Amino acid sequence: MLRRNARPLYLLLLLLLFVVAPVAALAGPDLTVTVTHTGTSGANFTTNSTTGTVSVAVQNVGDLDTAGNITVTVTLAGGLTYHAFGSSSSGLFTTCTGTSTVSCTTSGVITAGATETVTFTVNAPADPNAGPFTNSASISGGGDVNNANNSADDATTFGIYNAGVDLRLTVSHVGNAGNNYVVNTTDGTVTVKVQNLGTDPTVGTITVFILTNSDLAFNTQTAGNFFTNCSGTSSITCSTATSFASGQGDTITFTVKAPSTIDYDNRINAFLTGGSDPDGAVTQDAQMYSIIASGTETATVTAGPSPTATFPLPTFTVAPTLIPATAVPSATLIPPPATRTPLPRPANAGQAVGPIPHPNVTIVIDRDGVNVRLLPAIGAEVIATVNGGYSTNILARSGDGQWVQVEIGGQLGWIGQPVFVVVAGDLNSAPVADPRTIPYGGFENPRAGLTSVTSPLTGKLQDSGLRVRGGPGRAYPVLANAPRYTIFSLLGRTENNTWVQVNFEGTLGWVAAQFVDFQQGLGTFDQLPIDGIVADALPISEPTGDSYTDTLKLMLARVELSQPSLDEVRAIWTNVALGGRATCGSYPARPTDFNIPNPVLAPFYATLYPLQTDFNAAMSNLRQAIDLLINACRTPQPPEGLVGQPVVQAALDAVNAADANFASLRQRLNALLPPDQPVTDDECLFTFANRSEIVPRLRINEAQIVTLSATHFVKGFCFDGGTGQSLKIETLLVSGNARPRLTVSAFDNATNFIGTAQMDETSTLASIQPILITQTGRYILIFADLDGAANNAPLQGENAVLLTDITGGTGAISPSLAIDPTTGNVIVTTGSIAAATFAPGVTPGVGVTPGIPLEITKAP
C-alpha cells in the first residue's frame, strides 16, 4: 500500500510547495515584462504628435543569466505607430522595427536580478479615437523557464486627444420600459456627457442644446460639477463659463416625462458650441426609443440600427430678428423625415444601356443678358450669359417646371422659364432632372453610385487630385476625392468628351477629362460608351466642404439680388423725408430669409449661424422699410403718399440698419470665400480654418523671389513630394532687412509642422534639410517675418527661395543659393544643373519666376 500511495503523495507535496511558496525563483533565467507610456498630454496622446514614448522593462527574476537571443514584442493600441528608437538602459537593444506591432531583439545577456528598459517614440494617429486604450507586450527567448510571466498590459489606459480644444458630446437615455418610455410617466432619464479631449483648456462659455423629436418633457436636473443650471422643456439649453481642463468632463442627468401620445422610433439629439472649440460637437442617442402604452396593452418595438453618418440630423428654424450676441439662440425642432425604403438594385446594373435620350424641344431666348446658372435656383453661380435670339435644344427640365437644362460651352447649365420661348416640341415631355437631388441618368438607370465593374482602359491623375462627382458637371455632388497619382478604370464618357465615368475604389462617378492622363492614349475615348454604365446602387453623398462654400456663395448672391430693393426703397423714403410724396403702386421686391440645412449648418455652426442670423436680420429690416411704404400707401387719410414723421423715421432707421447689415455681410462672406479665379498648374488652392488662398507652386530647382514688407509679411508656397524623396528648402537674403522663418507642413494639415528654420540676425541664409517625404502628397511652405525688422526700421526685403531634391546625397550639402560678388545677381547652382543668375528686383529669366504673395492681415 505504501508503494501504491507514494506517487500521489509526492504530487500533492509538489502542489503544496507551489501554493505555499509561489514566489520562489525558478532554476534558470525567468523573464518578466511590463510596458508603460508617456503621452503628449500626460497619460494621453495628441493627434499627429511624435513626442509620446513607450517604455518596456524586461527583468530577469530567475537565478541564472539569460542565454540566446531575447525578443520583446510590443502591440501598440489605438492607432499608435512606431516612430523612432529612443534608448536602451544598458545598451543591449540597439534598434526596434515594425509599425503598430514593434519588435526589439538583442543577443546580449540580462544577468540574474537585472532589468533592461527599452524606450521608443511613437506617432499618434490623425483621427482621434474614443478610447480608452492599453499597450501590451510579450517576450520570448533568452532561455526563459517560465513563459507564464511573459506578458503584461500597460497599467494606465489612454486616449487620443486633438491638439487645442476638442469637446466631445454623448447623450443616452433609460426609459420606463428598457429603451422605451411609457405614456404619462416621469421616471425616465436622459444623460448628457461633455468631455474635453483636447490638449488645451476651454475658453469662454460652453453651451449644450438637447432636443427630442417625440415631445419628451424635461423635468428635474441632477447638477454636474460645471453645468449647474439648465432651462427649457422639450428643448434644453445648458451653459457654463467654467473652463474644462484637458481630459476633464461633466455629466448632466435629467428626469423626463413621456407625452400622452404613442409614438415610435425616436432619438435624442444634442449639439455643443463655444469653449473655443473650432468644430463644436453634434451627436445622437445611439439607441432609438418609442413612446408605448401603459397597462395591459403591449407594443413590441424593435430598435433600429445604430445611426450612421447619413442619418438625418434635426433642422432648426431661426426667427428672422436680430439676436443679441449675449443671447442663447432658441431652436424649434422639426422632426426628421420618415425613413425611406431603400430602392432596389437597378435592373441594368453594370450595363451600358446607351446614351441618355434628349427631348426634341427647342427654345429661343427673348431678351439680352440672360444668365445661365450652375443650378436651377435664383442666386446660383452664373456660368455663362446669352442674348436674345440664342436658340438651343434643352436636355431636361426641373421638377417645378421653372428651369430647363442646356449645354453651353461644354458645360451643363440652367435657364429660368420667364426668359425663353418654346419654338418646337412639348416642354412637358422633357425628363425631370436636378443635379442636387436626382442622380445622373435618373433613378431607374443611375450613371453614378456604387459599382464593382472594372475596365482594361485606365486613367491616371498625374498632376493633381480630383473630385469624383455624381454626374458630368460641377453642379453634381462630390462622391469622393481621388488623390494625385490615382489610377482608375474608365467606364464611360460624355458625348462631347469633356467628362469621363470612372470606378474609384468602388465609387462610380465622373471626373473632368482634361485632368486625366489616358494610359492607353487619346483613342481611349472612342472605346468608351456615351453616358457610361449603370451603377449597382444609388450614390451616397456626405455633406462636404463644397456644401459650405456653396452656401456662402448662395448667401452672397442673395445679398446682391436684394440690393436693388434696398436702393429703391431708400430713394423713396429719402424723397419722403425731404418733403415729397411716397411712390405708390409699384413696390420693391420683398426678400425672404435664408435657412441653412442642418447637415451643413452643424459642422460649421460657429461660422454659418452668425451669418444666417445677420442675413435674416438684414432682410427683416429691408422688409420692414418696404412694408411701411405699403401700409402708408394703403391708408386713405391723410391723402395717399403723405406719411407722418414717426413712420418716416422708422423707415429710414430700417433702411440704415439693412444697409449696414449688407455691407458687413459682403465683407465677411468675401473674406471666407475662395478666390474667384481658376487655379493654374503653377498654383494651389490652400484652405485653412475655412479660409482659402491661391498660393504659387515651388518646383525643383526653380528659384522664386519673395518680397516682404510691413503690410505683406507672410507668404505661402505649395510643392509636391513623393515617398522616399529627400528635399531641401533654402532662402537667401537678397536685399533689405527681412529675417523670415520657414515652416513646412502637410498641405491638408497645416498645423502639423514637419520642418522649420529661422534666419537669424547674423546670417543671410537659412535652410530646412533634409525634409524626408514619407507619404506622397502636397505640402505647404509658410514664409514669414512676424517679428518685423531689426533696429525698429520698417520691414522691407527681398529673399530668394529654392526647392532642391537631395535624394541620395551624402555628407555635407552645400548651399545652392549665393550672391555673385561682381554683378550682385543671385546664383542658383544645383549639382549638375547649369547655374542660373538673375538680378534682384527685376523679372527673372528662364527657370526663375517671381513669387505671388499669400497675404495675411497682421493682427492688431
Side-chain angles (χ1 to χ4, degrees):
M1 285 181 68
L2 289 176
R3 289 179 181 267
R4 285 189 302 204
N5 290 328
R7 185 172 178 83
L9 182 61
Y10 168 76
L11 294 176
L12 180 60
L13 290 173
L14 187 60
L15 176 61
L16 184 61
L17 175 65
F18 277 94
V19 171
V20 174
V23 295
L26 296 177
D30 182 11
L31 296 174
T32 63
V33 58
T34 56
V35 55
T36 57
H37 73 269
T38 300
T40 43
S41 295
N44 302 298
F45 292 84
T46 304
T47 55
N48 285 323
S49 173
T50 59
T51 58
T53 60
V54 171
S55 298
V56 183
V58 181
Q59 184 178 13
N60 182 4
V61 297
D63 59 1
L64 295 179
D65 298 345
T66 60
N69 291 343
I70 303 169
T71 299
V72 177
T73 302
V74 183
T75 301
L76 301 175
L80 299 182
T81 55
Y82 170 74
H83 176 66
F85 180 77
S87 63
S88 178
S89 58
S90 300
L92 296 183
F93 294 90
T94 58
T95 187
C96 298
T97 60
T99 53
S100 58
T101 299
V102 185
S103 294
C104 309
T105 302
T106 180
S107 58
V109 173
I110 301 178
T111 58
T115 300
E116 179 70 12
T117 302
V118 186
T119 301
F120 51 86
T121 306
V122 294
N123 263 327
D127 295 325
N129 297 286
F133 304 106
T134 57
N135 300 309
S136 62
S138 62
I139 190 166
S140 61
D144 188 5
V145 297
N146 185 16
N147 291 329
N149 293 331
N150 278 357
S151 63
D153 289 335
D154 193 345
T156 305
T157 58
F158 63 89
I160 309 298
Y161 281 18
N162 270 335
V165 177
D166 182 19
L167 290 168
R168 301 298 179 86
L169 182 64
T170 59
V171 56
S172 59
H173 75 274
V174 176
N176 325 81
N179 288 331
N180 303 309
Y181 293 93
V182 177
V183 294
N184 283 323
T185 54
T186 59
D187 52 342
T189 60
V190 172
T191 301
V192 180
K193 295 182 179 180
V194 180
Q195 187 175 16
N196 181 12
L197 295 185
T199 57
D200 298 340
T202 62
V203 178
T205 299
I206 302 168
T207 302
V208 176
F209 304 91
I210 308 106
L211 308 104
T212 73
N213 55 350
S214 68
D215 298 324
L216 289 181
F218 287 74
N219 292 316
T220 58
Q221 172 204 353
T222 301
N225 296 322
F226 293 77
F227 295 95
T228 57
N229 187 40
C230 299
S231 61
T233 54
S234 60
S235 61
I236 299 296
T237 302
C238 305
S239 298
T240 180
T242 306
S243 177
F244 284 72
S246 175
Q248 237 174 352
D250 196 18
T251 300
I252 323 167
T253 301
F254 304 93
T255 300
V256 294
K257 181 177 181 179
S260 58
T261 304
I262 297 176
D263 191 12
Y264 297 105
D265 296 344
N266 304 292
R267 291 186 189 275
I268 299 170
N269 305 280
F271 66 96
L272 175 151
T273 62
S276 295
D277 186 337
D279 302 320
V282 178
T283 189
Q284 280 191 324
D285 195 344
Q287 291 184 307
M288 288 185 178
Y289 65 87
S290 298
I291 310 300
I292 63 176
S294 60
T296 57
E297 183 180 354
T298 60
T300 302
V301 180
T302 303
S306 297
T308 65
T310 57
F311 189 89
L313 293 173
T315 303
F316 305 98
T317 59
V318 183
T321 55
L322 184 62
I323 298 177
T326 56
V328 177
S330 60
T332 302
L333 179 67
I334 299 177
T339 303
R340 296 179 179 177
T341 303
L343 295 175
R345 173 185 169 91
N348 298 319
Q351 301 179 29
V353 296
I356 298 172
H358 296 159
N360 294 319
V361 179
T362 305
I363 64 169
V364 174
I365 304 302
D366 63 5
R367 67 197 70 180
D368 291 340
V370 170
N371 291 325
V372 182
R373 298 189 181 273
L374 187 66
L375 293 167
I378 289 292
E381 178 184 344
V382 176
I383 62 172
T385 303
V386 294
N387 291 323
Y390 176 82
S391 177
T392 185
N393 289 335
I394 71 168
L395 304 177
R397 60 188 172 94
S398 62
D400 57 9
Q402 299 300 306
W403 298 81
V404 293
Q405 188 182 47
V406 298
E407 181 182 326
I408 184 167
Q411 297 189 73
L412 297 179
W414 295 81
I415 299 176
Q417 172 86 312
V419 298
F420 66 82
V421 176
V422 177
V423 296
D426 180 9
L427 185 59
N428 293 324
S429 68
V432 175
D434 189 328
R436 299 168 297 181
T437 57
I438 300 175
Y440 184 63
F443 288 101
E444 292 77 15
N445 294 300
R447 312 301 171 95
L450 306 179
T451 190
S452 57
V453 178
T454 59
S455 167
L457 304 176
T458 55
K460 183 178 182 181
L461 301 182
Q462 187 65 46
D463 297 321
S464 64
L466 201 58
R467 294 180 175 94
V468 181
R469 294 187 177 273
R474 290 191 298 113
Y476 286 93
V478 176
L479 305 183
N481 289 284
R484 189 179 182 186
Y485 304 126
T486 292
I487 297 176
F488 35 48
S489 294
L490 303 177
L491 299 171
R493 64 182 173 94
T494 55
E495 191 171 4
N496 59 11
N497 293 337
T498 56
W499 290 77
V500 289
Q501 187 188 46
V502 303
N503 177 349
F504 172 64
E505 298 179 350
T507 295
L508 182 68
W510 296 81
V511 298
Q514 69 185 92
F515 302 107
V516 179
D517 181 12
F518 296 95
Q519 297 190 296
Q520 288 77 31
L522 292 178
T524 300
F525 272 124
D526 299 331
Q527 305 176 57
L528 297 174
I530 296 176
D531 288 330
I533 68 169
V534 178
D536 294 347
L538 290 171
I540 300 172
S541 176
E542 306 269 341
T544 65
D546 286 351
S547 306
Y548 167 80
T549 303
D550 292 344
T551 297
L552 296 177
K553 288 181 178 179
L554 188 56
M555 190 176 289
L556 182 59
R558 288 279 306 276
V559 170
E560 301 305 336
L561 286 169
S562 302
Q563 186 65 47
S565 294
L566 178 59
D567 294 340
E568 186 177 350
V569 78
R570 179 196 293 111
I572 292 173
W573 283 115
T574 301
N575 177 60
V576 173
L578 295 175
R581 298 183 62 161
T583 303
C584 300
S586 178
Y587 306 111
R590 296 175 76 257
T592 57
D593 287 348
F594 191 99
N595 293 311
I596 302 172
N598 200 63
V600 180
L601 180 64
F604 306 103
Y605 186 88
T607 300
L608 292 183
Y609 182 77
L611 286 170
Q612 176 182 260
T613 301
D614 291 350
F615 180 96
N616 292 341
M619 299 308 154
S620 176
N621 287 324
L622 179 51
R623 288 195 302 271
Q624 181 183 359
I626 296 171
D627 291 343
L628 288 172
L629 174 63
I630 294 173
N631 290 334
C633 290
R634 288 174 177 172
T635 303
Q637 295 294 329
E640 181 184 277
L642 295 179
V643 186
Q645 181 61 32
V647 176
V648 175
Q649 188 61 53
L652 290 176
D653 289 344
V655 168
N656 291 334
D659 200 49
N661 291 143
F662 276 38
S664 174
L665 285 167
R666 284 192 185 94
Q667 181 181 15
R668 290 151 63 192
L669 289 168
N670 283 316
L672 293 170
L673 283 168
D676 188 16
Q677 66 185 80
V679 180
T680 69
D681 193 46
D682 291 324
E683 300 169 329
C684 304
L685 181 63
F686 175 59
T687 299
F688 177 71
N690 293 330
R691 302 278 181 116
S692 299
E693 187 74 39
I694 293 177
V695 299
R697 187 192 300 272
L698 279 181
R699 298 190 184 275
I700 301 291
N701 301 329
E702 294 184 8
Q704 298 199 36
I705 285 290
V706 182
T707 301
L708 297 180
S709 66
T711 56
H712 300 89
F713 52 88
V714 181
K715 301 182 180 179
F717 299 88
C718 64
F719 64 92
D720 294 321
T723 302
Q725 267 190 311
S726 182
L727 302 176
K728 175 180 71 170
I729 292 178
E730 60 187 308
T731 183
L732 174 69
L733 178 63
V734 177
S735 64
N737 56 9
R739 291 294 189 274
R741 171 177 289 277
L742 309 182
T743 304
V744 174
S745 56
F747 198 76
D748 57 356
N749 190 8
T751 59
N752 183 27
F753 303 137
I754 60 177
T756 63
Q758 172 74 58
M759 182 183 293
D760 59 36
E761 298 300 327
T762 62
S763 174
T764 59
L765 189 70
S767 65
I768 306 175
Q769 59 174 315
I771 304 172
L772 302 176
I773 304 298
T774 60
Q775 183 175 357
T776 297
R778 185 159 295 169
Y779 297 83
I780 183 76
L781 166 66
I782 302 298
F783 194 98
D785 188 341
L786 301 179
D787 299 324
N791 303 320
N792 296 319
L795 174 63
Q796 186 64 47
E798 286 185 329
N799 293 73
V801 61
L802 181 68
L803 174 68
T804 310
D805 189 343
I806 57 174
T807 305
T810 58
I813 300 175
S814 59
S816 302
L817 290 172
I819 300 289
D820 188 316
T822 304
T823 65
N825 292 344
V826 175
I827 305 172
V828 179
T829 56
T830 55
S832 60
I833 305 298
T837 64
F838 57 95
V842 302
T843 302
V846 176
V848 183
T849 56
I852 304 174
L854 166 65
E855 301 181 3
I856 301 176
T857 303
K858 188 173 183 180

